[in-house]
Amino acid sequence: MAYCTPDEVRLLTNQVSGKDFSDSEIQQFIDQADGEINAELISVYTVPFSPTPPLVKMVSVQLAAAYCLTALYAGHSKNVAPNASVWKSNAKGLLDEIAKGKKILLDSSGD
């Protein structure tokens, strides 16, 4: 089960419409993000997560959005993906803190 949905990725980017990428295309970016999350956290958590902790969802949305925007802007002459590098950096930093035990994964109720 994916850690986020194509609609959540579209909501964060506010730049990607159904004309740019279909749900199944966005799902590929989500799968890539979720694979990275699982690979990073497998040594400290049982993955895949079910249910998905809010922090994991946030990382998944940010990474998938970054990959989506990078692909969207890849054909442009300047190859500039606004916010993509910020989201990717934030997500990777948070993932690193989770893996090192600096951030603890809680469920949506705070437990």
Side-chain angles (χ1 to χ4, degrees):
M1 183 174 162
Y3 297 147
C4 68
T5 67
D7 286 340
E8 290 167 326
V9 173
R10 282 193 183 95
L11 183 64
L12 178 63
T13 66
N14 198 27
Q15 299 173 42
V16 177
S17 69
K19 295 177 185 177
D20 298 314
F21 295 108
S22 67
D23 281 358
S24 63
E25 290 170 320
I26 293 176
Q27 187 61 52
Q28 291 177 7
F29 297 121
I30 292 170
D31 292 344
Q32 179 182 351
D34 292 356
E36 287 184 48
I37 292 167
N38 290 343
E40 184 70 28
L41 300 181
I42 194 167
S43 64
V44 289
Y45 288 97
T46 300
V47 295
F49 294 97
S50 183
T52 303
L55 281 177
V56 170
K57 179 182 227 172
M58 184 172 65
V59 170
S60 180
V61 170
Q62 288 182 349
L63 284 176
Y67 299 143
C68 197
L69 286 181
T70 300
L72 181 65
Y73 285 90
H76 292 75
S77 60
K78 292 186 179 183
N79 194 18
V80 176
N83 298 322
S85 61
V86 173
W87 289 331
K88 186 174 181 180
S89 176
N90 288 344
K92 295 278 190 168
L94 185 54
L95 199 54
D96 186 56
E97 287 181 330
I98 294 167
K100 291 179 178 176
K102 294 179 180 180
K103 299 274 187 199
I104 304 298
L105 295 180
L106 304 173
D107 62 22
S108 58
S109 68
D111 292 331

